[in-house]
């Protein structure tokens, strides 16, 4: 118990990446270790079952081949007994007693011809029959054998039986499995005579059949008759002592003087058995190979799991450590440091947590900057308010006096300027309202252009293409004039070589939005100039209402999807897009409340 507590305390004290690493690897290693303990005996058992299954299938096939050979032996013997020429010669009452050499030779030729025709039809088999030793050709050992050999090898002739016979040919001994059957022949004098007919197959053919039934290297295959006599054995294991033929289960382990073997057998229809002896050492060897492969695979698997868990634990714990470091930095008041080593391209919970935290930090920084800027704007606005304690009506009345005075003296140009300037300021101030109709906003721009044309001697040309139904919608006050002013100031005003400037204002309704385009044919602006305009601060005078201010008011009023966009690049003039919602004056005033 104390040991468990001690291990638990040590585990709790580890860093997060090591805890994750151990949590990934330890269960898999323990599971593989438990499996490995039982794999050795399990693999040996499975391998034994597999061997037994393979041998059973092979023995079934061997049984079919051997049974076919035995069936052919019986069929050939029946052919011999049904041959008319052989029966005619054997039925002669003087057969076997003729002393004339010519008669014996004619009998031999007749019988040889009959046996030859049968043997030609069955080239893989030998045939023959046993005759009295006194017959001259009974010892030729091709088709005819002396009866004395029959009784040396086997049983009374009245029974059908199989036996092993050795035949010497070309000074070499050949061993055959022989089927011997009785052949009852009725003599011409009415006497019944019994002969023995034989069909044979080479033992090597049966041995090859048994060899093909081996499914394990070193296995020993035997063919045993119903009495336990070994008929076919492996070439190199003649003297092995087979176990007694009691019923063994599949893959029973038996101890012989030659070693330990697993015993298998298949009982054929005639009572013979195909017996297999599989060396235990070979089974152990094969199962140990499988076990070794399993151990190697287990070690490789553990190594792979160890590596993968190490990489992933380091990867995920790295995000936790980065977040912890970020929190510590913020606690110390450092908002600007960002850990660039953290991969935030994935979409798991840790990435979402880290990204949301970074978003909150950026929002805090933005709000702090905005608060600082607003504080400065408030101070600046207070100063302007103190400097502008002039009643707007006093300005309007003064401009009207100038207008009428100029008319009295016949100064039409001065009167026109006074009228345009008065109308310009009336629309600019708009009785303190931030909402104006698009028609009035266009009139505000036209007044500004007329005043500027007095200075530039009519070099500024304004073209407006706005449908009447669009003019009835509302927009923010002083929306278009700053951009027209910029086209003049950054064009003809700054570049004396520019003789005139053309400005075109269009408006189109796109579903629930209105999109303005203010296009001029000046020198255009580049990316840095656009960035400067969008971040420019108000500077007073006609340019006192900066582009940045307009963009800020639009997003504040309509949302982040609305505002100003520059589509052009040098030297093709300037094309400013202003996007607002299509609202009436009442709807826009309600939105601003």
């Amino acid at each position: 118990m104390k040991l468990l507590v001690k291990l638990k305390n040590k585990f709790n004290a580890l860093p997060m990446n090591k805890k994750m690493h151990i949590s990934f690897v330890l269960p898999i290693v323990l599971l593989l270790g438990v499996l490995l303990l039982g794999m050795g005996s399990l693999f040996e058992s499975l391998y034994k079952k597999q061997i037994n299954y393979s041998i059973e299938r092979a023995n079934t096939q061997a049984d079919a081949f051997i049974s076919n050979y035995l069936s052919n032996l019986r069929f050939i013997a029946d052919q011999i007994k049904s041959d008319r020429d052989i029966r005619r010669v054997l039925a002669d009452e003087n057969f076997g007693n003729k002393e004339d050499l010519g008669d014996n030779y004619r009998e031999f030729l007749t019988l040889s011809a009959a046996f030859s025709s049968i043997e030609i039809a069955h080239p893989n088999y030998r045939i023959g029959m046993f005759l009295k030793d006194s017959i001259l050709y009974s010892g030729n050992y091709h088709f005819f054998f002396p009866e004395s050999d029959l009784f040396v090898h086997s049983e009374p002739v009245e029974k059908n039986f199989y036996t092993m016979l050795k035949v010497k040919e070309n000074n070499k001994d050949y061993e055959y499995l022989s089927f011997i059957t009785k052949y009852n022949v009725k003599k011409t004098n009415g006497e019944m005579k019994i002969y023995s007919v034989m069909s044979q197959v080479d033992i090597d053919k049966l041995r090859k059949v048994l060899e093909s039934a081996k499914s394990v290297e070193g296995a020993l295959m035997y063919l045993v008759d119903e009495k336990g006599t070994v008929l076919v054995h492996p070439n190199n294991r003649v003297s092995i002592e087979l176990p007694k033929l009691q019923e063994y289960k599949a893959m029973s382990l038996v101890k012989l003087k030659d070693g330990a073997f697993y015993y298998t057998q298949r009982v054929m229809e005639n009572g013979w058995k195909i017996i297999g002896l599989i060396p235990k050492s070979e089974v152990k060897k094969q199962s140990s190979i499988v076990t070794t492969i399993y151990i190697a695979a287990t070690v490789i698997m553990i190594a792979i799991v160890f590596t993968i868990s190490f990489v992933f634990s380091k990867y995920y714990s790295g995000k936790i450590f980065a977040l912890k470091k970020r929190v510590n930095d913020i606690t110390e008041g450092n908002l600007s440091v960002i850990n660039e080593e953290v991969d935030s391209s994935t979409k798991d919970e840790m990435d979402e947590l880290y990204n949301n935290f970074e978003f909150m930090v950026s929002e805090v920084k933005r709000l702090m900057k905005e608060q600082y800027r607003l504080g400065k704007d408030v101070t600046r606005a207070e100063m302007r308010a103190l400097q502008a304690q002039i009643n707007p009506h006093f300005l309007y009345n003064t401009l009207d006096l100038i207008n009428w005075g100029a008319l009295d003296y016949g100064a039409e140009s001065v009167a026109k300027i006074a009228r345009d300037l008065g109308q310009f300021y009336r629309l600019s101030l708009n009785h303190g309202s931030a909402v104006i109709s698009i028609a009035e906003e266009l009139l505000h721009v036209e007044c500004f252009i007329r005043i500027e044309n007095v200075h530039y001697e009519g070099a500024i040309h304004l073209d407006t293409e706005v449908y009447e139904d669009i003019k009835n919608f509302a927009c923010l006050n002083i929306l278009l004039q700053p951009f027209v002013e910029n086209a003049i100031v950054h064009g003809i005003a700054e570049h004396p070589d520019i003789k005139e400037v053309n400005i075109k204002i269009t408006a189109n309704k796109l579903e629930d939005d209105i999109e303005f385009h203010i296009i001029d044919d000046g020198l255009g602006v580049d990316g840095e100039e656009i960035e400067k305009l969008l971040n420019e601060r108000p500077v007073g005078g006609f340019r006192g209402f900066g582009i940045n201010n307009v963009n800020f008011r639009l997003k504040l009023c309509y949302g982040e999807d609305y505002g100003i966009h520059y589509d052009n690049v040098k030297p093709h003039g300037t094309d400013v897009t202003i996007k607002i919602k299509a609202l009436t004056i009442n709807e826009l005033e309600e939105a601003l409340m």
Side-chain angles (χ1 to χ4, degrees):
M1 191 66 180
K2 291 182 178 180
L3 179 61
L4 291 177
V5 173
K6 189 175 181 180
L7 291 174
K8 180 181 177 182
N9 292 335
K10 284 189 175 182
F11 180 79
N12 291 334
L14 292 173
M16 179 61 72
N17 63 336
K18 291 187 177 179
K19 287 181 182 177
M20 295 176 68
H21 188 40
I22 293 173
S23 300
F24 289 151
V25 174
L26 188 60
I28 296 177
V29 172
L30 291 176
L31 177 62
L32 292 176
V34 170
L35 290 175
L36 185 60
L37 291 176
M39 281 299 105
S41 58
L42 177 62
F43 280 146
E44 184 173 348
S45 175
L46 292 175
Y47 187 65
K48 284 165 58 178
K49 289 181 179 179
Q50 181 64 33
I51 290 174
N52 185 60
Y53 174 74
S54 300
I55 289 179
E56 183 63 29
R57 292 184 62 186
N59 283 352
T60 301
Q61 190 174 11
D63 183 353
F65 278 112
I66 293 173
S67 297
N68 183 63
Y69 277 119
L70 299 182
S71 176
N72 287 340
L73 290 176
R74 292 191 294 271
F75 174 74
I76 293 169
D78 289 339
Q79 274 193 306
I80 294 173
K81 290 192 287 185
S82 61
D83 188 273
R84 286 183 292 180
D85 290 336
I86 296 175
R87 178 174 289 275
R88 177 174 54 78
V89 172
L90 297 180
D92 186 356
E93 63 183 55
N94 295 317
F95 177 74
N97 298 320
K98 295 178 180 179
E99 296 181 358
D100 183 68
L101 186 60
D103 292 338
N104 278 284
Y105 185 66
R106 282 188 289 275
E107 286 177 352
F108 172 74
L109 290 178
T110 302
L111 291 174
S112 292
F115 275 102
S116 292
S117 63
I118 296 173
E119 190 174 62
I120 289 172
H122 304 282
N124 294 322
Y125 298 87
R126 287 172 53 91
I127 59 176
M129 66 180 300
F130 291 90
L131 302 175
K132 290 192 301 182
D133 292 10
S134 59
I135 297 177
L136 293 176
Y137 48 87
S138 63
N140 78 332
Y141 288 98
H142 182 61
F143 293 128
F144 309 108
F145 302 86
E147 285 185 345
S148 58
D149 286 355
L150 176 63
F151 292 103
V152 168
H153 284 88
S154 193
E155 304 184 359
V157 76
E158 286 81 9
K159 300 178 72 175
N160 299 334
F161 60 91
Y162 294 90
T163 187
M164 304 300 297
L165 286 180
K166 287 185 179 180
V167 177
K168 184 180 288 292
E169 293 181 1
N170 300 323
N171 296 322
K172 185 177 179 181
D173 289 334
Y174 293 90
E175 195 170 17
Y176 293 90
L177 175 65
S178 303
F179 174 68
I180 301 175
T181 180
K182 63 181 180 178
Y183 182 18
N184 296 321
V185 178
K186 187 176 183 180
K187 298 283 189 176
T188 54
N189 59 3
E191 179 185 359
M192 291 296 299
K193 179 64 177 177
I194 298 175
Y195 294 94
S196 295
V197 175
M198 177 175 64
S199 55
Q200 298 177 309
V201 62
D202 194 339
I203 287 296
D204 283 339
K205 295 184 183 299
L206 302 180
R207 188 172 287 118
K208 288 179 180 178
V209 172
L210 295 179
E211 285 292 318
S212 66
K214 291 191 336 182
S215 57
V216 177
E217 189 67 28
L220 305 175
M221 305 301 296
Y222 296 85
L223 179 63
V224 180
D225 66 13
E226 70 278 5
K227 295 181 180 179
T229 303
V230 176
L231 301 176
V232 182
H233 52 72
N235 280 326
N236 56 343
R237 301 303 289 267
V238 179
S239 61
I240 191 169
E241 179 185 352
L242 289 175
K244 294 182 180 179
L245 296 180
Q246 64 262 37
E247 292 296 326
Y248 283 98
K249 293 181 180 179
M251 296 300 289
S252 298
L253 188 63
V254 295
K255 297 290 184 71
L256 303 176
K257 64 180 181 179
D258 296 61
F261 295 86
Y262 288 103
Y263 177 87
T264 65
Q265 70 172 12
R266 175 176 178 81
V267 180
M268 300 170 60
E269 289 187 3
N270 60 353
W272 291 11
K273 293 181 181 179
I274 300 173
I275 294 175
L277 297 178
I278 303 167
K280 181 182 179 183
S281 58
E282 191 66 29
V283 176
K284 283 284 187 182
K285 176 182 174 183
Q286 295 297 326
S287 62
S288 64
I289 291 174
V290 178
T291 304
T292 302
I293 294 174
Y294 175 78
I295 293 173
T298 302
V299 171
I300 294 172
M301 193 180 303
I302 291 174
I304 293 173
V305 170
F306 184 89
T307 303
I308 293 175
S309 66
F310 176 78
V311 172
F312 276 93
S313 61
K314 184 177 180 181
Y315 175 72
Y316 286 109
S317 62
K319 295 184 178 182
I320 297 174
F321 289 147
L323 187 58
K324 175 186 174 185
K325 185 177 182 301
R326 193 80 173 94
V327 172
N328 291 337
D329 290 337
I330 293 171
T331 304
E332 295 172 0
N334 188 359
L335 296 176
S336 60
V337 178
I338 297 178
N339 191 348
E340 297 180 353
E341 296 180 357
V342 176
D343 178 16
S344 59
S345 61
T346 56
K347 301 298 180 183
D348 58 22
E349 291 80 357
M350 284 303 304
D351 289 324
E352 186 176 353
L353 179 62
Y354 191 85
N355 293 333
N356 288 341
F357 182 80
E358 286 297 334
F359 174 75
M360 288 189 293
V361 172
S362 64
E363 283 296 298
V364 170
K365 290 165 62 178
R366 186 186 65 80
L367 291 173
M368 289 174 67
K369 290 181 180 179
E370 187 69 19
Q371 184 181 19
Y372 175 73
R373 186 185 66 79
L374 290 175
K376 292 179 68 177
D377 287 346
V378 168
T379 303
R380 190 180 294 112
E382 289 174 348
M383 291 299 296
R384 288 178 182 171
L386 291 174
Q387 295 171 357
Q389 295 295 324
I390 301 175
N391 191 327
H393 294 288
F394 177 75
L395 177 63
Y396 303 152
N397 292 335
T398 302
L399 291 173
D400 280 340
L401 287 174
I402 295 172
N403 176 39
W404 290 111
L407 290 174
D408 288 340
Y409 287 96
E412 288 290 336
S413 60
V414 175
K416 185 179 179 182
I417 292 174
R419 285 197 304 272
D420 288 337
L421 187 60
Q423 191 172 27
F424 176 80
Y425 276 113
R426 283 189 183 95
L427 293 171
S428 296
L429 297 174
N430 195 27
H431 304 291
S433 174
V435 179
I436 193 171
S437 69
I438 293 176
E440 290 176 317
E441 180 63 20
L442 291 172
L443 180 60
H444 181 241
V445 173
E446 291 171 359
C447 290
F448 175 75
I449 292 293
R450 285 196 293 269
I451 294 171
E452 288 291 300
N453 267 329
V454 173
H455 177 69
Y456 293 104
E457 300 178 351
I460 304 169
H461 307 287
L462 176 65
D463 180 21
T464 58
E465 291 183 3
V466 181
Y467 294 110
E468 292 298 326
D469 58 339
I470 295 178
K471 290 181 179 181
N472 295 325
F473 287 100
C475 65
L476 294 177
N477 192 19
I478 314 179
L479 176 66
L480 304 177
Q481 181 270 334
F483 300 96
V484 174
E485 183 180 3
N486 269 343
I488 297 170
V489 171
H490 296 293
I492 195 170
E494 293 181 351
H495 302 280
D497 55 321
I498 298 177
K499 302 305 180 182
E500 62 178 11
V501 59
N502 296 288
I503 301 172
K504 184 177 182 179
I505 300 176
T506 65
N508 295 294
K509 190 172 183 296
L510 306 174
E511 296 183 353
D512 295 331
D513 299 330
I514 295 175
E515 191 172 270
F516 292 95
H517 283 273
I518 304 170
I519 306 168
D520 68 68
D521 58 355
L523 297 178
V525 290
D526 57 23
E528 292 183 1
E529 290 174 313
I530 291 173
E531 188 70 22
K532 182 180 177 181
L533 287 171
L534 291 176
N535 293 282
E536 189 177 39
R537 307 305 305 160
V539 295
F542 282 152
R543 298 180 62 199
F545 224 79
I547 303 302
N548 173 271
N549 202 332
V550 176
N551 195 40
F552 177 76
R553 291 169 64 218
L554 288 173
K555 292 187 178 296
L556 189 64
C557 176
Y558 298 109
E560 289 295 326
D561 293 334
Y562 297 86
I564 302 166
H565 179 68
Y566 282 82
D567 292 315
N568 58 303
V569 293
K570 284 184 174 182
H572 304 295
T574 306
D575 184 357
V576 181
T577 303
I578 303 174
K579 183 180 178 183
I580 65 173
K581 285 185 180 178
L583 301 175
T584 64
I585 291 178
N586 291 334
E587 289 173 340
L588 184 54
E589 287 178 343
E590 289 179 4
L592 292 175
M593 291 179 62

